[in-house]
Amino acid sequence: MIIQSRGDCRFNTELKTTKIVFTVLAIFIVLWTPYTVVYVSSSNSDKMDTIPPSVFKFCGILTAMHSMSNSIIYLTMIKSFRKIAMKLLRKIFSCVLPANEESAGTTESLCCDKARCSAKITPLPDRKILRMPVQVLTSPAHGASKI
């Protein structure tokens, strides 16, 4: 049996943290660089038509992907984050997610306790619908308008 010293544990923890920070930074650079390059180059040119709209859309998609990339990185690289996230998802989606990892590939992972699942879902007609009062704003120039 190999016993690790405190220095080895600290080094392993720092190494994991360094890998995670480097991965997050690398993904940030990869996903935000096209956006930055396109928008800086388009603002410096006199003609906006030089860059096709599809390039702007692609850069926007890349930046939107960055919003979800950190959670994916944390789920794949940090065991404790993955464990807590799965526990939270099991509470939210108790009908779909397996109760434990052994039953993940079996049929009992799919909503085996229908009474427990259906008790949490309130039918739509029984729900209270909040209705917000409509305010009418009047302006001398435009007349009445509803918000």
Side-chain angles (χ1 to χ4, degrees):
M1 185 168 134
I2 299 173
I3 299 174
Q4 290 185 336
S5 67
R6 286 187 182 187
D8 290 342
C9 271
R10 176 184 251 167
F11 177 76
N12 288 340
T13 304
E14 288 178 5
L15 184 64
K16 283 182 182 180
T17 304
T18 304
K19 286 180 182 178
I20 293 167
V21 168
F22 178 77
T23 305
V24 168
L25 184 62
I27 296 293
F28 174 81
I29 290 171
V30 166
L31 294 178
W32 276 92
T33 299
Y35 174 85
T36 306
V37 169
V38 166
Y39 278 88
V40 167
S41 65
S42 70
S43 66
N44 290 337
S45 66
D46 293 334
K47 297 180 181 179
M48 287 292 289
D49 297 334
T50 57
I51 300 174
S54 59
V55 173
F56 284 102
K57 287 181 184 178
F58 178 72
C59 292
I61 290 170
L62 287 179
T63 56
M65 286 174 56
H66 179 257
S67 298
M68 67 181 179
S69 68
N70 285 347
S71 59
I72 293 171
I73 292 168
Y74 297 150
L75 281 172
T76 56
M77 295 184 81
I78 305 173
K79 189 175 183 178
S80 60
F81 184 85
R82 182 172 46 244
K83 190 176 181 180
I84 292 170
M86 288 304 291
K87 190 182 284 187
L88 178 65
L89 289 173
R90 279 191 191 102
K91 284 183 180 181
I92 295 171
F93 302 108
S94 61
C95 296
V96 181
L97 292 176
N100 53 27
E101 292 179 11
E102 290 83 29
S103 67
T106 64
T107 56
E108 61 186 42
S109 67
L110 297 173
C111 201
C112 55
D113 189 6
K114 296 204 182 267
R116 187 181 79 197
C117 295
S118 62
K120 291 182 180 179
I121 301 170
T122 306
L124 189 58
D126 295 341
R127 292 183 183 168
K128 292 182 179 179
I129 299 173
L130 299 175
R131 302 214 185 263
M132 299 296 292
V134 176
Q135 294 179 340
V136 177
L137 300 176
T138 56
S139 169
H142 303 297
S145 62
K146 290 184 179 181
I147 294 180

